[in-house]
Amino acid sequence: MNKLFKQIGLTLVLIFSAIGLAQAGSAEQPVATDGQIWSQLKAGATGETTSHGEFHNQPINTYDLRVLELRSDLLAPALMAALFGMIIIFVLFIKVNGISKLHGGFSGKLVYRWSKFDVSIHWLGAIPCLLLILTGLTLLAGRFFFQPYLPEGVWAGFVYAAKQVHDFMAIPFMLGWALMVTLWAKNQLPKMYDIKWMMVVGGYINFGPFKGKHPDAGFANAGEKLWFWAFAIFGLVISASGMLLLFPNLFEPSRTLSLIALVLHSVSAIIITAFSIVHIFMATVMSEGGMECMVSGYCDETWASQHHNLWFDEIKENGTLKYKE
């Protein structure tokens, strides 16, 4: 029996000795400092995750961090300026210049211009566009311009709501964009007379050598065409980059590509925001009788002959002129 206990005791001594030696050996292994870990990560060290994406084992980005400074120092203020700056400019312009009134006033005759379907797809794109501008402003620039002045709980709820609305409105905006670009492009092609329209600012200036000028315009004038193609091009960039950001699990973009998409998304949003403010002011305030077109689909006969004379003459000649009964 004593011999058995001696064997058991010797076995336990050997086991604990082996464990002690293993721990001593591991303790002697050099421990990487924070600087060494950072250097290894920047050099491309990989890790392990349960993800199966292409970049699942990349624990850190190695892009130029100045891109993030671009977003905070330039893009965020630019979006604020595109929205509020353009509003201020237009308010001052209208105060000095006044609006473009209809010569002789409203005729009382309404000319068919847009179908009910056209009016519908306009608002399908316009309403989400406005909501995306406002919520995008919160997401891009809110932390720099709004958060410092709001209680933390209010800011958290505000930015969460903005993110939900932004994501939800993305799909109807893209649908409206696709329909408008597809169906309306034929009337937005540039013509030679558009150059003269631009040279006299469409006849909207009420002083100096521009006063009283009413340049030729077809179905769409040069300003509307410029807005349309800006919306078409940068709306495409916004839609493509937005899909990458909205559905990362579907497209599995790299982190660098996601950052590039975010920057392109922001730049395009700035341009569309500035154009949208101009478009809204021109339709609602600057051009007397202009808003009626996208409410009922009809425009006043005086408005048609004054602002789109070539189109009005064309529909009279080819027999497609229709009045609202």
Side-chain angles (χ1 to χ4, degrees), residues 29-186:
Q29 295 293 326
V31 178
T33 65
D34 292 343
Q36 290 172 327
I37 293 174
W38 178 251
S39 297
Q40 292 170 3
L41 290 172
K42 291 188 70 175
T46 58
E48 296 181 4
T49 89
T50 58
S51 169
H52 298 290
E54 181 181 355
F55 305 97
H56 70 96
N57 62 352
Q58 179 183 335
I60 193 169
N61 292 321
T62 56
Y63 49 71
D64 191 339
L65 293 178
R66 286 176 296 180
V67 177
L68 295 178
E69 296 175 359
L70 167 70
R71 182 172 181 261
S72 61
D73 298 344
L74 183 60
L75 297 182
L79 184 57
M80 291 285 289
L83 179 59
F84 297 108
M86 291 301 296
I87 291 175
I88 292 171
I89 290 172
F90 247 99
V91 169
L92 293 175
F93 175 77
I94 291 174
K95 190 172 183 63
V96 172
N97 181 79
I99 68 171
S100 176
K101 289 186 171 292
L102 295 179
H103 299 320
F106 290 93
S107 68
K109 298 179 181 179
L110 295 179
V111 177
Y112 176 82
R113 181 167 169 81
W114 296 100
S115 70
K116 291 182 179 179
F117 180 68
D118 286 323
V119 172
S120 298
I121 64 174
H122 170 267
W123 292 110
L124 176 63
I127 293 174
C129 184
L130 290 175
L131 292 173
L132 289 170
I133 288 173
L134 295 175
T135 54
L137 179 72
T138 300
L139 298 174
L140 177 63
R143 77 183 75 173
F144 310 110
F145 297 97
F146 304 146
Q147 186 178 8
Y149 307 103
L150 295 174
E152 195 60 33
V154 173
W155 167 249
F158 187 55
V159 76
Y160 175 79
K163 180 65 168 62
Q164 298 305 309
V165 173
H166 202 80
D167 291 350
F168 184 76
M169 286 290 107
I171 301 303
F173 168 80
M174 287 187 279
L175 178 59
W177 168 85
L179 289 170
M180 281 188 277
V181 171
T182 302
L183 298 176
W184 296 356
K186 62 181 182 296

Side-chain angles (χ1 to χ4, degrees), residues 176-323:
W177 168 85
L179 289 170
M180 281 188 277
V181 171
T182 302
L183 298 176
W184 296 356
K186 62 181 182 296
N187 288 322
Q188 308 295 329
L189 299 177
K191 304 290 184 180
M192 288 302 298
Y193 52 74
D194 291 330
I195 297 175
K196 184 177 180 181
W197 192 98
M198 296 297 294
M199 290 177 63
V200 297
V201 200
Y204 288 98
I205 306 297
N206 293 329
F207 55 84
F210 300 106
K211 185 176 181 179
K213 301 290 185 180
H214 292 289
D216 292 335
F219 184 87
N221 61 44
E224 291 168 336
K225 292 176 182 179
L226 185 61
W227 156 237
F228 175 85
W229 291 112
F231 179 74
I233 294 169
F234 293 102
L236 175 61
V237 176
I238 279 184
S239 298
S241 58
M243 289 293 287
L244 285 176
L245 298 171
L246 192 59
F247 302 108
N249 293 333
L250 178 61
F251 297 101
E252 295 187 349
S254 68
R255 296 171 187 173
T256 298
L257 180 58
S258 294
L259 182 61
I260 293 172
L262 184 61
V263 170
L264 291 176
H265 199 78
S266 302
V267 171
S268 299
I270 290 167
I271 294 171
I272 285 186
T273 296
F275 270 100
S276 295
I277 297 303
V278 175
H279 179 67
I280 291 169
F281 265 91
M282 293 299 293
T284 60
V285 180
M286 191 66 194
S287 178
E288 187 178 37
M291 188 61 184
E292 180 66 27
C293 296
M294 277 306 169
V295 174
S296 67
Y298 290 83
C299 65
D300 189 85
E301 185 178 57
T302 304
W303 185 90
S305 62
Q306 182 170 313
H307 292 289
H308 298 273
N309 61 309
L310 297 181
W311 164 72
F312 187 57
D313 291 341
E314 180 184 356
I315 61 175
K316 284 193 297 184
E317 290 175 5
N318 62 25
T320 58
L321 172 62
K322 291 193 300 184
Y323 290 102

